[in-house]
Amino acid sequence: MERMQSDRDFPAAERVRLMQVSSTMAVLQAAERLRATGVRVLDLGAGEPDFPTPEHIKEAARRALAENFTRYTPAAGIAELRAAIARFLNEHFGSTYAPEHVIVTAGGKQAIFNAIVTLIEPGDEVLIPAPYWVTFPQVVTFAGGRSRFLPTEVNEFRLTAEMVGEAVTPRTKLLILNSPCNPTGRVIPPEEFRRIVEMAVARGVYVLSDECYREFVYPPHIPFSAASLPEAMRERVLIVGSFSKTYAMTGWRIGYAVGPHAWIREMIKVQSHSTSNPTSIAQKAALEALTGPQESVVTMLREYQRRRDFLLEALNALPGIRCAVPEGAFYVFPDVREMMRARGLRTSEELEARLLEECQIALTAGAAFGAEGYVRISYATSLDVLQEAIARLDRFARARA
Ligand code: PLP
């Protein structure tokens, strides 16, 4: 019998060898190991709502099961859901999308993956404002492209059209926008968003607008979508959305992309040969989420705002931490450079490890998102946990190196 190949000998393809395991997952795993030993870890690392999926959505899934809606669906998703997604954007943002402009995917993540691999060829450049969500550059690498990061720290994490204009080269094929942003919570104001897309399109660059946190903006801001841009501009824009955060449905794996027919058609081709369709039952649940009562979204948003407001005030009262006001998503991204200095720590990763060890707090180093000197704190957790975390952080911040 042939001997099993050792792990080291496995000839992984280069495009995969170049990819890295998600660093946000690494923190969660370290926290999990600690928790398994009986320690109470405060988890501020999670990128998912702590709320249960609303009851009426779960009921729709139970109904789908009872009706044996358990077979393959079209690769692009069921017709009613594609139509509902197009209608949602058209009604809220004045676009004129048809169901053919929509693909339903296994989470926003699969939409992003399909979008990038259908467009990017070896040697193509992709502009990614930094800090960024960790998956963007990894998928660009997988596609053989090159990520070029646009640092926004100099401008309080606000991207401008000028920054984009200066970074575009003849090789630039795609610009990725993510507003509200993971990890900073920053929202690009609508006028600036339009100027940015105008600039990109004028230079022949496509735009991927990741709107997974679209509904999570705090007053006076209101949800904005690239769907509200003029039609001519949208010929180069792909919108990615997700049910994960808006309806607390991370495990159901339903997202979507809406954009130019040709781009969507190619994405459907990729999907049809990889995962086929997203789960039939989850699609029925997503249809109910989008077309049923929306009160749960309002309730969750109100609670996130309460937590954000608490956290901002409490963090800014701690020595060595400065936290700007994020307009959306459920993260704060404080500047911890002074705290690092005071504790003799050189990198945000060292701080992340120290906080887990000394305070049993799991959060994510800014370096993971391309911004050293910061950490990401998720407030998709109860106010009780946040209050206790602040008490522990306070002790940590007051201790000397
Ligand atoms: N985009 C951003 C910025 C995210 O933070 C996430 C999830 O964390 C996603 C997309 C993908 O979410 P999902 O695949 O659950 O829809």
Side-chain angles (χ1 to χ4, degrees):
M1 215 168 71
E2 239 175 82
R3 283 186 55 201
M4 292 274 283
Q5 261 184 331
S6 79
D7 276 7
R8 220 185 33 223
D9 295 336
F10 180 73
E14 189 184 5
R15 63 177 175 277
V16 179
R17 262 187 290 124
L18 292 172
M19 291 172 94
Q20 285 161 5
V21 181
S22 166
S23 33
T24 51
M25 294 273 181
V27 195
L28 294 182
Q29 280 164 5
E32 208 44 59
R33 279 195 297 275
L34 199 59
R35 206 175 273 130
T37 66
V39 175
R40 178 161 184 256
V41 178
L42 302 181
D43 186 1
L44 310 181
E48 64 177 334
D50 56 316
F51 299 102
T53 304
E55 203 49 47
H56 66 105
I57 298 175
K58 292 195 279 193
E59 187 50 42
R62 280 193 283 265
R63 216 162 37 239
L65 256 182
E67 290 167 1
N68 293 312
F69 193 73
T70 53
R71 296 171 179 258
Y72 290 132
T73 75
I78 55 175
E80 309 94 285
L81 183 54
R82 291 174 83 190
I85 291 165
R87 201 165 51 240
F88 181 90
L89 289 180
N90 296 346
E91 280 174 6
H92 287 85
F93 302 105
S95 49
T96 50
Y97 288 117
E100 296 74 48
H101 295 116
V102 180
I103 177 175
V104 183
T105 53
K109 203 177 243 182
Q110 193 188 19
I112 291 163
F113 184 88
N114 290 346
I116 293 176
V117 299
T118 50
L119 181 71
I120 297 305
E121 301 199 73
D124 285 343
E125 284 178 1
V126 179
L127 290 183
I128 303 176
Y132 47 80
W133 181 47
V134 293
T135 291
F136 298 139
Q138 298 300 330
V139 182
V140 170
T141 298
F142 181 83
R146 266 197 33 208
S147 296
R148 288 200 52 212
F149 300 112
L150 281 176
T152 59
E153 187 190 346
V154 286
N155 195 35
E156 298 180 307
F157 303 126
R158 294 176 207 280
L159 183 72
T160 66
E162 287 68 31
M163 290 178 185
V164 172
E166 279 165 24
V168 171
T169 76
R171 308 221 63 155
T172 310
K173 188 89 157 277
L174 177 68
L175 164 69
I176 298 180
L177 299 177
N178 175 214
S179 173
C181 172
N182 175 8
T184 64
R186 275 268 173 274
V187 167
I188 303 175
E191 325 76 64
E192 196 58 39
F193 197 102
R194 183 187 165 125
R195 289 182 61 238
I196 290 168
V197 176
E198 221 161 26
M199 171 73 79
V201 169
R203 307 283 291 274
V205 174
Y206 285 85
V207 178
L208 191 163
S209 175
D210 178 344
E211 302 180 2
C212 288
Y213 295 92
R214 183 174 53 225
E215 306 305 318
F216 292 152
V217 288
Y218 304 105
H221 302 273
I222 54 170
F224 171 81
S225 170
S228 60
L229 297 173
E231 197 164 347
M233 228 187 267
R234 280 188 285 110
E235 277 169 18
R236 279 181 179 269
V237 176
L238 190 86
I239 295 166
V240 169
S242 174
F243 288 79
S244 291
K245 323 283 176 177
T246 313
Y247 300 103
M249 290 177 72
T250 44
W252 299 74
R253 308 311 301 133
I254 299 288
Y256 57 86
V258 180
H261 188 242
W263 199 347
I264 295 291
R265 189 188 59 221
E266 299 306 309
M267 289 170 62
I268 295 171
K269 204 156 74 187
V270 172
Q271 182 154 300
S272 74
H273 290 299
S274 53
T275 58
S276 294
N277 55 274
T279 307
S280 55
I281 301 155
Q283 289 189 66
K284 285 286 192 184
L287 181 63
E288 170 63 23
L290 202 57
T291 57
Q294 300 294 305
E295 280 80 15
S296 58
V297 182
V298 179
T299 308
M300 288 190 275
L301 189 64
R302 209 175 287 136
E303 178 59 21
Y304 285 132
Q305 184 173 2
R306 209 160 72 94
R307 298 171 186 177
R308 181 198 70 156
D309 293 347
F310 162 76
L311 206 48
L312 276 174
E313 199 181 327
L315 284 172
N316 280 320
L318 297 183
I321 295 189
R322 276 188 309 131
C323 194
V325 181
E327 299 94 353
F330 41 62
Y331 308 107
V332 291
F333 200 63
D335 178 342
V336 290
R337 283 174 290 193
E338 225 179 280
M339 174 184 263
M340 283 161 53
R341 260 195 302 277
R343 295 296 310 254
L345 302 166
R346 282 167 305 137
T347 65
S348 53
E349 273 149 351
E350 284 179 13
L351 177 63
E352 171 193 293
R354 187 66 71 84
L355 284 172
L356 188 58
E357 195 183 296
E358 253 183 59
C359 312
Q360 293 78 52
I361 290 177
L363 43 66
T364 320
F369 309 98
E372 189 47 272
Y374 294 79
V375 290
R376 188 191 76 174
I377 295 176
S378 163
Y379 50 90
T381 186
S382 71
L383 202 51
D384 286 350
V385 167
L386 294 175
Q387 280 162 344
E388 186 169 346
I390 289 293
R392 293 188 192 182
L393 275 175
D394 187 57
R395 282 195 294 277
F396 182 85
R398 287 174 203 290
R400 287 279 100 201

